[in-house]
Amino acid sequence: MFEARFSQQIDRLTHQDHGAWETHDRAVAMKNNGEDVILLCVGDPDFRTPEPIIDNAVSHLRVGRTHYSPALGEMKLRRAVADLETATSKHPCSPSEVAIFPGATNAIYSVMSCLLNPGDEVVIPEPMYVGYPSIMAAIDAKVVSVPLLVEQDFKLDMEAVKAAVTERTRVVFINTPGNPTGSLIGRRELAELAAFCRERNLWLVCDEVYSMFTYSGRHRSLRASSEHLDNVVMVDGLSKSHAMSGWRIGWVVAPQNLIERLGAHAGATLFGCPQFIQDASAFALENDQEYVASMRQDYAERADYVVEKLEKLNGIHCHRPKAGMFVMCDVDGTGMNGREFARALLDAELVSVVPGDAFGPSAKNCVRVGLAQPRPVIKQAVLRIKRFIEALPARS
Ligand SMILES: Cc1ncc(COP(=O)(O)O)c(C=O)c1O
């Protein structure tokens, strides 16, 4: 008789603890059952992909751009990314320093596959984006997380990051603007961290997928901030900035020695992204000022609205995001931790938020409120949260 046996890799992925997603999964099931659930848990933009980008993709489909594409990406998209980098950084960037992937997730996975051996350590500040632990589990790298403190507004703790490095560390992995915290890492800190990593012979990888959604303060890219580029790697993509999550386009900007290896990796695992999607993505990057700015403005207004309203509620303290698509709210004052709060809110008012411990233990008393819903829906959700808080027994 056949006994199905699976790889250790997929066992590691399948047995990850998804407890923090229980409320989210329940919310989605309830919504699919026709219940009037408001989902504030996802990071998928509610905006439609701008019409000119759709038209551009269709026109490229019609002229037959439906064949294989180079493993590292179409030259015109690599050039568009390089031009963007050159425009926003003091270092000129050439297309040979750019590789295209189906989304930032795959870009990060591919980069880490090229940099880490099983058992190697990767230092990551937490709370961190929920996708990171799975990627590291896939390549059997060990995540060494560095807690960022809620009382310090989740600011990067440089000394703690440095102290977490051991002789097994190969990579320090950061995220600015940050998900879930909406905080920014400043130019000086990025420069200091890059110099530290270089001195310790470590790669510094930075996920910048929210780079175009900064509301207060400026986004500083790792590349623009670093003096030397031979150990720095940047990941970005179109999912958030251009409301193109389903198109699956992301990229890596890195030294050529890593790009060449990424080419070998992509050749073995992907064999290129669809031509017409890359064509439209290049068009998107070259013609985007107006609609990116208008989406950014909308998210900023939604964030202001949520912070202003929730901050007034008993027991809730919001961290005003400087960027991104989320507001982190500390709910400790309600007598519940994030998981209890999320569960009770869904039960009582059919609003789904993500408990902070989905992103790491330092955020266990928080919930993440997503902004990827039209304003009337957000308004309705805020009213329900208010009703929920007002119905809680008064705490002394
Ligand atoms: C910080 C961060 N990185 C990466 C991703 C995934 O991006 P992509 O859709 O390009 O794979 C997300 C999505 O939520 C994210 O928040």
Coordinates of all heavy atoms in Angstrom, one line a residue, residues 58-147:
V58 N -4.1 44.9 -21.6 CA -5.0 44.3 -22.6 C -4.4 44.5 -24.0 O -4.3 43.6 -24.8 CB -6.4 44.8 -22.5 CG1 -7.2 44.4 -23.7 CG2 -7.1 44.4 -21.2
S59 N -3.8 45.7 -24.2 CA -3.3 45.9 -25.5 C -2.1 45.1 -25.8 O -1.8 44.6 -26.9 CB -3.0 47.4 -25.7 OG -1.9 47.8 -24.9
H60 N -1.3 44.8 -24.7 CA -0.1 43.9 -24.9 C -0.5 42.5 -25.1 O 0.1 41.7 -25.8 CB 0.9 44.1 -23.7 CG 1.7 45.3 -23.9 ND1 1.5 46.5 -23.2 CD2 2.8 45.6 -24.7 CE1 2.4 47.4 -23.6 NE2 3.2 46.9 -24.5
L61 N -1.6 42.1 -24.4 CA -2.1 40.7 -24.7 C -2.5 40.6 -26.1 O -2.2 39.6 -26.8 CB -3.4 40.6 -23.8 CG -3.4 39.8 -22.5 CD1 -4.7 39.8 -21.8 CD2 -2.9 38.4 -22.7
R62 N -3.2 41.6 -26.7 CA -3.7 41.5 -28.0 C -2.6 41.5 -29.1 O -2.8 40.9 -30.1 CB -4.6 42.8 -28.3 CG -5.9 42.8 -27.5 CD -7.1 43.0 -28.4 NE -8.3 42.9 -27.6 CZ -8.9 41.7 -27.3 NH1 -8.5 40.6 -27.9 NH2 -10.0 41.7 -26.6
V63 N -1.5 42.1 -28.8 CA -0.4 42.0 -29.8 C 0.5 40.8 -29.6 O 1.6 40.7 -30.1 CB 0.4 43.3 -29.9 CG1 -0.4 44.5 -30.3 CG2 1.2 43.6 -28.5
G64 N 0.1 39.9 -28.7 CA 0.8 38.6 -28.6 C 1.9 38.6 -27.6 O 2.8 37.7 -27.7
R65 N 1.9 39.5 -26.6 CA 2.9 39.4 -25.6 C 2.6 38.4 -24.5 O 2.3 38.6 -23.4 CB 3.1 40.8 -24.9 CG 3.6 41.9 -25.9 CD 5.1 41.8 -26.1 NE 5.8 42.2 -24.8 CZ 7.0 41.9 -24.5 NH1 7.7 41.1 -25.4 NH2 7.5 42.3 -23.4
T66 N 2.6 37.1 -25.0 CA 2.0 36.0 -24.2 C 3.0 34.8 -24.2 O 2.6 33.7 -24.1 CB 0.7 35.5 -24.8 OG1 0.9 35.3 -26.2 CG2 -0.4 36.6 -24.6
H67 N 4.3 35.2 -24.3 CA 5.3 34.1 -24.4 C 6.2 34.1 -23.2 O 6.1 34.9 -22.3 CB 6.0 34.2 -25.7 CG 5.1 33.9 -26.9 ND1 4.9 32.7 -27.4 CD2 4.3 34.8 -27.6 CE1 4.0 32.8 -28.4 NE2 3.7 34.0 -28.6
Y68 N 7.2 33.2 -23.3 CA 8.2 33.2 -22.2 C 9.0 34.5 -22.1 O 9.1 35.2 -23.1 CB 9.3 32.1 -22.5 CG 8.8 30.7 -22.3 CD1 9.0 29.7 -23.3 CD2 8.2 30.3 -21.1 CE1 8.6 28.4 -23.1 CE2 7.8 29.0 -20.9 CZ 8.0 28.1 -21.9 OH 7.6 26.8 -21.7
S69 N 9.4 34.8 -20.9 CA 10.1 36.0 -20.7 C 11.5 35.7 -20.0 O 11.5 34.7 -19.3 CB 9.2 36.8 -19.8 OG 9.8 38.0 -19.3
P70 N 12.5 36.5 -20.0 CA 13.8 36.2 -19.4 C 13.6 36.0 -17.9 O 12.7 36.7 -17.3 CB 14.6 37.5 -19.6 CG 14.0 38.2 -20.8 CD 12.5 37.8 -20.7
A71 N 14.4 35.1 -17.3 CA 14.2 34.8 -15.9 C 14.3 36.0 -15.0 O 13.6 36.1 -14.0 CB 15.3 33.7 -15.5
L72 N 15.2 36.9 -15.3 CA 15.4 38.1 -14.5 C 14.4 39.2 -14.7 O 14.4 40.2 -14.0 CB 16.8 38.6 -14.6 CG 17.9 37.8 -13.8 CD1 19.3 38.3 -14.2 CD2 17.7 37.9 -12.3
G73 N 13.6 39.0 -15.8 CA 12.5 40.0 -16.1 C 12.8 40.7 -17.4 O 13.9 40.7 -17.9
E74 N 11.7 41.3 -17.9 CA 11.8 42.1 -19.2 C 12.7 43.3 -19.0 O 12.5 44.0 -17.9 CB 10.4 42.6 -19.6 CG 9.5 41.5 -20.1 CD 9.9 40.9 -21.4 OE1 10.5 41.6 -22.2 OE2 9.6 39.7 -21.6
M75 N 13.5 43.6 -19.9 CA 14.5 44.7 -19.8 C 13.7 46.1 -19.5 O 14.2 46.9 -18.7 CB 15.4 44.8 -21.0 CG 16.6 45.7 -20.8 SD 17.4 45.6 -19.2 CE 18.5 44.2 -19.5
K76 N 12.6 46.3 -20.2 CA 12.0 47.6 -20.0 C 11.4 47.8 -18.6 O 11.4 48.9 -18.0 CB 10.9 47.9 -21.1 CG 9.6 47.1 -21.0 CD 8.7 47.6 -22.1 CE 7.7 46.6 -22.4 NZ 6.8 46.9 -23.5
L77 N 11.0 46.7 -17.9 CA 10.6 46.8 -16.5 C 11.8 47.0 -15.6 O 11.8 47.8 -14.7 CB 9.7 45.6 -16.1 CG 9.2 45.6 -14.7 CD1 8.5 46.9 -14.3 CD2 8.3 44.4 -14.4
R78 N 12.8 46.2 -15.9 CA 14.1 46.3 -15.0 C 14.6 47.8 -15.2 O 15.0 48.4 -14.2 CB 15.1 45.3 -15.5 CG 14.7 43.9 -15.2 CD 15.7 42.9 -15.8 NE 16.9 42.8 -15.1 CZ 18.0 42.2 -15.5 NH1 18.0 41.6 -16.7 NH2 19.1 42.2 -14.8
R79 N 14.5 48.3 -16.4 CA 15.0 49.7 -16.6 C 14.0 50.7 -15.8 O 14.5 51.6 -15.2 CB 15.0 50.0 -18.1 CG 15.7 51.4 -18.3 CD 16.1 51.6 -19.8 NE 17.1 50.6 -20.2 CZ 17.0 49.8 -21.3 NH1 15.8 49.8 -21.9 NH2 17.9 49.0 -21.6
A80 N 12.7 50.5 -15.9 CA 11.8 51.4 -15.2 C 12.1 51.4 -13.7 O 12.1 52.4 -13.0 CB 10.4 51.0 -15.5
V81 N 12.4 50.2 -13.1 CA 12.7 50.1 -11.7 C 14.0 50.8 -11.4 O 14.2 51.6 -10.5 CB 12.8 48.6 -11.2 CG1 13.3 48.6 -9.8 CG2 11.4 48.0 -11.3
A82 N 15.0 50.6 -12.3 CA 16.3 51.2 -12.1 C 16.2 52.7 -12.2 O 16.8 53.4 -11.4 CB 17.3 50.7 -13.2
D83 N 15.4 53.2 -13.1 CA 15.2 54.7 -13.2 C 14.6 55.3 -12.0 O 15.0 56.3 -11.5 CB 14.4 55.0 -14.4 CG 15.1 54.7 -15.8 OD1 16.3 54.5 -15.7 OD2 14.5 54.7 -16.8
L84 N 13.6 54.5 -11.4 CA 13.0 55.0 -10.2 C 14.0 55.1 -9.1 O 14.1 56.0 -8.3 CB 11.9 54.0 -9.8 CG 11.0 54.2 -8.6 CD1 10.1 55.5 -8.8 CD2 10.2 53.0 -8.3
E85 N 14.8 54.0 -9.0 CA 15.9 54.0 -7.9 C 16.9 55.1 -8.1 O 17.3 55.8 -7.2 CB 16.6 52.7 -8.0 CG 16.0 51.6 -7.2 CD 15.8 52.0 -5.8 OE1 16.8 52.4 -5.1 OE2 14.7 52.1 -5.3
T86 N 17.3 55.4 -9.4 CA 18.2 56.4 -9.6 C 17.6 57.8 -9.2 O 18.3 58.6 -8.7 CB 18.6 56.4 -11.1 OG1 19.2 55.2 -11.4 CG2 19.6 57.5 -11.5
A87 N 16.3 57.9 -9.5 CA 15.7 59.2 -9.2 C 15.5 59.4 -7.7 O 15.5 60.6 -7.2 CB 14.3 59.3 -9.9
T88 N 15.5 58.4 -6.9 CA 15.2 58.5 -5.5 C 16.4 58.3 -4.6 O 16.3 58.3 -3.4 CB 14.0 57.6 -5.0 OG1 14.4 56.3 -5.4 CG2 12.7 58.0 -5.6
S89 N 17.6 58.0 -5.2 CA 18.7 57.7 -4.4 C 19.9 58.5 -4.9 O 20.0 58.9 -6.1 CB 19.0 56.2 -4.5 OG 20.3 55.9 -4.4
K90 N 20.9 58.6 -4.1 CA 22.2 59.3 -4.5 C 23.0 58.3 -5.4 O 24.0 58.8 -6.1 CB 23.0 59.8 -3.3 CG 23.4 58.6 -2.4 CD 24.0 59.2 -1.1 CE 24.3 58.0 -0.2 NZ 24.4 58.2 1.2
H91 N 22.7 57.0 -5.4 CA 23.5 56.1 -6.2 C 22.7 55.8 -7.5 O 21.6 55.3 -7.5 CB 23.6 54.7 -5.4 CG 24.2 54.8 -4.1 ND1 25.5 55.1 -3.8 CD2 23.6 54.7 -2.8 CE1 25.7 55.1 -2.5 NE2 24.6 54.9 -1.9
P92 N 23.4 56.0 -8.6 CA 22.7 55.6 -9.9 C 22.5 54.1 -9.9 O 23.3 53.3 -9.3 CB 23.8 56.0 -11.0 CG 24.9 56.6 -10.3 CD 24.7 56.5 -8.8
C93 N 21.4 53.6 -10.5 CA 21.1 52.2 -10.5 C 21.0 51.8 -12.0 O 20.4 52.4 -12.8 CB 19.8 52.0 -9.8 SG 19.2 50.3 -9.7
S94 N 21.5 50.6 -12.3 CA 21.4 50.1 -13.7 C 20.5 48.9 -13.7 O 20.3 48.2 -12.6 CB 22.8 49.7 -14.2 OG 23.0 48.3 -14.2
P95 N 19.8 48.6 -14.8 CA 18.9 47.4 -14.9 C 19.6 46.1 -14.5 O 19.0 45.2 -14.0 CB 18.5 47.4 -16.4 CG 18.8 48.7 -16.9 CD 19.9 49.3 -16.1
S96 N 20.9 46.1 -14.6 CA 21.6 44.8 -14.2 C 21.6 44.6 -12.7 O 22.1 43.6 -12.2 CB 23.1 44.8 -14.7 OG 23.8 46.0 -14.1
E97 N 21.2 45.6 -11.9 CA 21.1 45.5 -10.5 C 19.6 45.2 -10.1 O 19.3 45.3 -8.9 CB 21.5 46.8 -9.8 CG 23.0 47.1 -10.0 CD 23.3 48.5 -9.6 OE1 23.1 49.4 -10.4 OE2 23.8 48.7 -8.4
V98 N 18.8 44.9 -11.1 CA 17.3 44.7 -10.8 C 16.9 43.3 -11.3 O 17.3 42.9 -12.3 CB 16.5 45.8 -11.5 CG1 15.0 45.5 -11.3 CG2 16.9 47.2 -11.1
A99 N 16.1 42.6 -10.4 CA 15.4 41.4 -10.9 C 13.9 41.4 -10.6 O 13.6 41.9 -9.5 CB 16.1 40.2 -10.1
I100 N 13.1 40.9 -11.5 CA 11.7 40.9 -11.3 C 11.2 39.6 -10.8 O 11.6 38.5 -11.3 CB 11.0 41.3 -12.7 CG1 11.7 42.5 -13.3 CG2 9.5 41.4 -12.6 CD1 11.5 43.8 -12.5
F101 N 10.2 39.7 -9.9 CA 9.6 38.4 -9.4 C 8.1 38.5 -9.3 O 7.5 39.6 -9.4 CB 10.1 38.2 -8.0 CG 11.6 37.8 -7.9 CD1 12.5 38.8 -7.8 CD2 12.0 36.5 -8.1 CE1 13.9 38.5 -7.9 CE2 13.3 36.2 -8.2 CZ 14.3 37.1 -8.0
P102 N 7.4 37.4 -9.2 CA 5.9 37.5 -9.1 C 5.5 37.9 -7.6 O 5.1 37.0 -6.8 CB 5.4 36.1 -9.4 CG 6.6 35.2 -9.1 CD 7.9 36.0 -9.3
G103 N 5.7 39.1 -7.3 CA 5.4 39.7 -6.0 C 6.6 39.8 -5.0 O 7.6 39.1 -5.2
A104 N 6.4 40.6 -4.0 CA 7.5 40.8 -3.1 C 7.8 39.5 -2.3 O 8.9 39.2 -1.9 CB 7.2 42.0 -2.2
T105 N 6.7 38.8 -2.0 CA 6.8 37.6 -1.2 C 7.8 36.6 -1.9 O 8.7 36.1 -1.3 CB 5.5 36.9 -1.1 OG1 4.5 37.8 -0.5 CG2 5.5 35.6 -0.2
N106 N 7.6 36.4 -3.2 CA 8.5 35.5 -3.9 C 9.9 36.1 -4.0 O 10.9 35.4 -4.0 CB 7.9 35.2 -5.3 CG 8.8 34.1 -5.9 OD1 9.7 34.4 -6.7 ND2 8.5 32.8 -5.6
A107 N 9.9 37.4 -4.1 CA 11.3 38.1 -4.2 C 12.0 37.9 -2.9 O 13.2 37.5 -2.9 CB 11.1 39.6 -4.5
I108 N 11.4 38.0 -1.8 CA 12.0 37.8 -0.5 C 12.5 36.3 -0.4 O 13.6 36.0 0.0 CB 11.1 38.2 0.7 CG1 10.8 39.7 0.6 CG2 11.7 37.9 2.0 CD1 9.6 40.1 1.5
Y109 N 11.6 35.4 -0.7 CA 11.9 34.0 -0.7 C 13.1 33.7 -1.5 O 14.0 33.0 -1.1 CB 10.7 33.2 -1.1 CG 11.0 31.7 -1.3 CD1 11.3 30.9 -0.2 CD2 11.1 31.2 -2.6 CE1 11.6 29.5 -0.4 CE2 11.4 29.8 -2.8 CZ 11.7 29.0 -1.7 OH 12.0 27.7 -1.9
S110 N 13.1 34.2 -2.7 CA 14.3 34.0 -3.6 C 15.6 34.5 -3.1 O 16.6 33.9 -3.1 CB 14.0 34.5 -5.0 OG 12.8 34.0 -5.5
V111 N 15.5 35.8 -2.6 CA 16.7 36.4 -2.0 C 17.2 35.6 -0.8 O 18.4 35.2 -0.7 CB 16.4 37.8 -1.5 CG1 17.5 38.4 -0.6 CG2 16.2 38.8 -2.7
M112 N 16.3 35.2 0.1 CA 16.7 34.4 1.3 C 17.3 33.1 0.9 O 18.2 32.6 1.5 CB 15.6 34.3 2.3 CG 15.1 35.6 2.9 SD 16.5 36.5 3.7 CE 15.7 38.1 3.9
S113 N 16.7 32.5 -0.2 CA 17.2 31.2 -0.7 C 18.7 31.3 -1.2 O 19.4 30.4 -1.1 CB 16.4 30.6 -1.8 OG 15.1 30.5 -1.4
C114 N 19.0 32.5 -1.7 CA 20.4 32.7 -2.2 C 21.3 33.1 -1.1 O 22.5 33.0 -1.3 CB 20.4 33.8 -3.2 SG 19.5 33.4 -4.7
L115 N 20.8 33.6 0.1 CA 21.7 34.1 1.1 C 21.9 33.1 2.3 O 22.8 33.3 3.1 CB 21.2 35.4 1.6 CG 21.0 36.5 0.6 CD1 20.6 37.8 1.3 CD2 22.3 36.7 -0.2
L116 N 20.9 32.3 2.5 CA 20.9 31.5 3.8 C 20.9 30.0 3.6 O 20.3 29.5 2.7 CB 19.6 31.8 4.6 CG 19.4 33.3 5.1 CD1 18.0 33.6 5.4 CD2 20.3 33.5 6.3
N117 N 21.7 29.4 4.4 CA 21.7 27.9 4.5 C 20.8 27.4 5.6 O 20.6 28.2 6.6 CB 23.1 27.4 4.8 CG 24.0 27.6 3.5 OD1 23.6 27.2 2.4 ND2 25.2 28.1 3.7
P118 N 20.3 26.2 5.6 CA 19.5 25.7 6.7 C 20.3 25.9 8.0 O 21.5 25.7 8.1 CB 19.3 24.2 6.4 CG 19.4 24.1 4.9 CD 20.4 25.2 4.5
G119 N 19.6 26.4 9.0 CA 20.2 26.7 10.4 C 20.8 28.0 10.5 O 21.1 28.5 11.6
D120 N 21.0 28.7 9.4 CA 21.6 30.1 9.5 C 20.6 31.0 10.2 O 19.3 30.8 10.1 CB 21.9 30.7 8.2 CG 23.2 30.1 7.6 OD1 24.0 29.5 8.4 OD2 23.4 30.3 6.4
E121 N 21.1 32.0 10.9 CA 20.2 32.9 11.6 C 19.9 34.2 10.8 O 20.8 34.8 10.2 CB 20.8 33.3 13.0 CG 20.8 32.1 13.9 CD 21.4 32.4 15.2 OE1 21.8 33.5 15.5 OE2 21.6 31.4 16.0
V122 N 18.6 34.7 10.9 CA 18.3 35.9 10.3 C 17.6 36.8 11.4 O 16.7 36.3 12.1 CB 17.3 35.7 9.0 CG1 16.2 34.8 9.3 CG2 16.8 37.1 8.5
V123 N 18.2 38.0 11.6 CA 17.7 38.8 12.7 C 16.6 39.7 12.1 O 16.8 40.4 11.1 CB 18.8 39.7 13.2 CG1 18.3 40.7 14.2 CG2 19.9 38.8 13.9
I124 N 15.4 39.7 12.7 CA 14.2 40.5 12.3 C 13.6 41.2 13.4 O 13.2 40.5 14.4 CB 13.2 39.6 11.6 CG1 13.8 38.6 10.6 CG2 12.2 40.5 10.8 CD1 12.8 37.7 9.8
P125 N 13.4 42.5 13.4 CA 12.6 43.2 14.4 C 11.2 42.7 14.4 O 10.6 42.4 13.3 CB 12.7 44.6 14.1 CG 13.9 44.7 13.1 CD 13.9 43.4 12.4
E126 N 10.6 42.6 15.6 CA 9.2 42.2 15.7 C 8.4 43.2 16.5 O 9.0 43.7 17.5 CB 8.9 40.8 16.1 CG 9.3 40.4 17.5 CD 8.2 40.6 18.6 OE1 7.1 41.0 18.3 OE2 8.6 40.5 19.7
P127 N 7.1 43.6 16.3 CA 6.2 42.9 15.4 C 6.7 43.0 13.9 O 7.2 44.0 13.5 CB 4.9 43.6 15.6 CG 5.2 44.9 16.3 CD 6.5 44.7 17.0
M128 N 6.5 41.8 13.2 CA 6.9 41.7 11.8 C 5.8 41.3 10.9 O 4.8 40.6 11.4 CB 8.1 40.8 11.7 CG 7.7 39.3 12.0 SD 9.1 38.2 11.8 CE 10.0 38.4 13.4
Y129 N 5.9 41.5 9.6 CA 4.9 41.1 8.7 C 4.7 39.6 8.8 O 5.7 38.8 8.9 CB 5.3 41.5 7.3 CG 4.6 40.9 6.1 CD1 3.2 40.9 6.1 CD2 5.2 40.2 5.1 CE1 2.5 40.3 5.1 CE2 4.5 39.6 4.1 CZ 3.2 39.7 4.1 OH 2.4 39.1 3.1
V130 N 3.5 39.1 8.8 CA 3.2 37.7 9.0 C 3.8 36.7 8.0 O 4.0 35.6 8.3 CB 1.6 37.4 9.0 CG1 1.0 38.1 10.2 CG2 1.0 37.9 7.7
G131 N 4.1 37.2 6.8 CA 4.7 36.3 5.8 C 6.1 35.9 6.1 O 6.6 34.9 5.6
Y132 N 6.9 36.7 6.9 CA 8.3 36.4 7.1 C 8.6 35.0 7.7 O 9.4 34.3 7.2 CB 9.0 37.5 7.9 CG 9.0 38.9 7.3 CD1 9.2 40.0 8.1 CD2 8.8 39.1 5.9 CE1 9.2 41.3 7.5 CE2 8.7 40.3 5.4 CZ 8.9 41.4 6.1 OH 8.9 42.7 5.6
P133 N 7.9 34.7 8.9 CA 8.3 33.4 9.5 C 8.1 32.2 8.5 O 8.9 31.3 8.5 CB 7.3 33.3 10.7 CG 7.0 34.8 11.0 CD 7.0 35.5 9.7
S134 N 7.0 32.3 7.7 CA 6.8 31.2 6.8 C 7.9 31.1 5.7 O 8.4 30.0 5.4 CB 5.5 31.3 6.0 OG 4.4 31.5 6.9
I135 N 8.3 32.2 5.2 CA 9.4 32.2 4.2 C 10.7 31.6 4.9 O 11.4 30.7 4.3 CB 9.7 33.6 3.7 CG1 8.5 34.2 2.9 CG2 11.0 33.7 2.9 CD1 8.7 35.6 2.5
M136 N 11.0 32.0 6.1 CA 12.2 31.5 6.8 C 12.0 30.0 7.1 O 13.0 29.2 7.0 CB 12.5 32.3 8.0 CG 12.7 33.8 7.8 SD 13.8 34.1 6.4 CE 13.4 35.8 6.1
A137 N 10.8 29.6 7.4 CA 10.6 28.2 7.7 C 10.8 27.4 6.4 O 11.3 26.3 6.4 CB 9.1 27.9 8.2
A138 N 10.4 28.0 5.2 CA 10.5 27.2 4.0 C 12.0 26.9 3.7 O 12.3 25.9 3.1 CB 10.0 28.1 2.8
I139 N 12.9 27.8 4.1 CA 14.3 27.6 3.8 C 15.1 27.1 5.0 O 16.3 27.0 5.0 CB 15.0 28.8 3.2 CG1 14.8 30.0 4.0 CG2 14.6 29.0 1.8 CD1 15.4 31.2 3.4
D140 N 14.3 26.8 6.1 CA 14.9 26.3 7.3 C 15.9 27.2 8.0 O 16.9 26.8 8.6 CB 15.5 24.9 7.1 CG 15.5 24.1 8.4 OD1 14.9 24.5 9.3 OD2 16.2 23.0 8.4
A141 N 15.7 28.5 7.8 CA 16.5 29.5 8.5 C 15.9 29.8 9.9 O 14.7 29.7 10.0 CB 16.6 30.8 7.7
K142 N 16.8 30.2 10.8 CA 16.3 30.4 12.1 C 16.0 31.9 12.3 O 16.9 32.8 12.2 CB 17.3 29.9 13.2 CG 16.8 30.1 14.6 CD 17.7 29.4 15.6 CE 17.3 29.9 17.0 NZ 18.4 30.3 17.8
V143 N 14.8 32.3 12.7 CA 14.4 33.7 12.9 C 14.8 34.1 14.3 O 14.4 33.4 15.3 CB 12.9 34.0 12.8 CG1 12.6 35.4 13.1 CG2 12.5 33.6 11.3
V144 N 15.7 35.1 14.4 CA 16.0 35.6 15.8 C 15.3 37.0 15.8 O 15.7 37.9 15.1 CB 17.6 35.8 15.9 CG1 17.9 36.5 17.2 CG2 18.3 34.5 15.8
S145 N 14.2 37.0 16.6 CA 13.4 38.3 16.6 C 13.9 39.2 17.6 O 14.3 38.8 18.7 CB 11.9 38.0 16.7 OG 11.7 37.2 17.8
V146 N 13.8 40.5 17.3 CA 14.2 41.6 18.2 C 13.0 42.4 18.6 O 12.4 43.0 17.7 CB 15.2 42.5 17.5 CG1 15.6 43.7 18.5 CG2 16.5 41.7 17.1
P147 N 12.5 42.3 19.8 CA 11.3 43.0 20.2 C 11.4 44.5 20.1 O 12.4 45.1 20.5 CB 11.0 42.6 21.6 CG 12.1 41.6 22.0 CD 13.1 41.6 21.0

